[in-house]
Amino acid sequence: MGETPIARAAAAVLGALRAAEARAGRPAGCVRLVAVTKTVSAEHVADAWRAGLHTFGESYVQEALGKIDRLPPEAEWHFIGHLQSNKARQAVEVFSMIQSVDRASLADALEREASRRGIRVDVLLQVKVGDEVTKSGASFDGAVALVRRAPEWPSLRIRGLMAIPPFTEDPEQARPHFRAVRVLRDRIAALGLPEVEMGELSLGMSADYEVAVEEGATLVRVGSALFGDRPARDA
Ligand SMILES: *Cc1c(COP(=O)(O)O)cnc(C)c1O
């Protein structure tokens, strides 16, 4: 341990994360680092595990299945990509959190599979920010409509919100988007819906996770800052 490139990168990212928490006056360790391992080999994910990273984020179910069996069973896997309803069964089997629920039809599919297995699945609602033509994410009003329907999905535990702001070089550009999501979170929390928790905010990636921490993120999803640049598919 200690000498792989991933161990060095993990130490740097965790250091920056703790520093951002301190700057923001937040408790040390209140933000969880989700290591995004899409396109990363199982071998390198295992290096990350040995470097002390224990929560991994994947965007493709099939790709994740090839790695999950090769990591210790204590590893936690979050799904962060666009989820097709026909993958709901596999998704509830292997992911402890599905961060990208953005429509009622997907919640229906997850509910069906989770209740069939007799389990409860943690989910975040993914909301769209910026006017970029991103494929995924509910509108803010759409997210409010979804939480009002929470009683239809007793096997899903709605824990908070997730968002992916448009990519820019300047992390400050993401700040208003992060802030808007936090305000939406507060607005939803104020509805006092008994089935809905709003404790989690998954905001921030390699370029802007420090700003996200300052704006209240509880989860940051970091890939390239840990594992290096990905092939063009996901750049
Ligand atoms: C790929 C991906 C990330 C990680 O992006 P980096 O810029 O490499 O840190 C985070 N969140 C989602 C949803 C992703 O698809």
Side-chain angles (χ1 to χ4, degrees):
M1 187 184 146
E3 277 320 302
T4 61
I6 292 167
R8 279 191 293 275
V13 170
L14 285 167
L17 205 53
R18 301 290 92 97
E21 289 169 345
R23 262 200 318 278
R26 301 181 58 196
C30 67
V31 182
R32 185 138 64 118
L33 175 60
V34 179
V36 175
T37 49
K38 65 189 181 205
T39 79
V40 176
S41 69
E43 207 181 354
H44 284 131
V45 182
D47 284 343
W49 169 266
R50 284 187 289 269
L53 302 181
H54 294 158
T55 307
F56 303 107
E58 287 278 344
S59 303
Y60 302 92
V61 173
Q62 220 56 40
E63 183 189 333
L65 293 174
K67 301 175 199 177
I68 291 172
D69 285 345
R70 298 168 63 189
L71 269 289
E74 298 80 26
E76 252 197 65
W77 298 83
H78 289 194
F79 190 79
I80 61 171
H82 180 75
L83 185 60
Q84 292 166 298
S85 295
N86 63 11
K87 295 271 172 38
R89 173 184 300 212
Q90 286 168 310
V92 304
E93 282 172 8
V94 297
F95 293 104
S96 61
M97 183 183 279
I98 297 172
Q99 294 200 3
S100 47
V101 174
D102 61 353
R103 59 199 187 279
S105 60
L106 176 58
D108 288 340
L110 293 169
E111 170 63 33
R112 219 160 28 240
E113 297 302 337
S115 70
R116 218 175 42 82
R117 283 176 67 86
I119 56 172
R120 267 193 109 194
V121 179
D122 284 349
V123 305
L124 303 181
L125 301 182
Q126 183 180 349
V127 293
K128 201 185 300 229
V129 290
D131 14 75
E132 236 189 28
V133 274
T134 42
K135 329 110 228 180
S136 308
S139 66
F140 282 21
D141 287 345
V144 173
L146 283 173
V147 294
R148 290 193 182 283
R149 291 180 59 178
E152 295 175 38
W153 307 304
S155 306
L156 307 186
R157 194 169 158 216
I158 301 177
R159 310 267 329 258
L161 303 177
M162 183 271 242
I164 310 171
F167 178 81
T168 59
E169 298 288 333
D170 174 13
E172 282 303 321
Q173 305 251 316
R175 190 183 296 277
H177 296 303
F178 293 150
R179 197 166 287 172
V181 177
R182 191 186 68 211
V183 168
L184 174 64
R185 188 272 308 272
D186 294 344
R187 190 177 131 208
I188 291 174
L191 297 174
L193 302 170
E195 306 84 359
V196 176
E197 298 167 39
M198 277 286 132
E200 303 282 359
L201 280 179
S202 175
L203 307 169
M205 320 202 326
S206 291
D208 52 23
Y209 65 89
E210 293 165 90
V211 172
V213 170
E214 291 167 8
E215 294 301 327
T218 62
L219 295 157
V220 291
R221 312 173 308 268
V222 177
S224 47
L226 292 168
F227 299 104
D229 287 336
R230 285 180 298 277
R233 180 182 78 168
D234 293 294

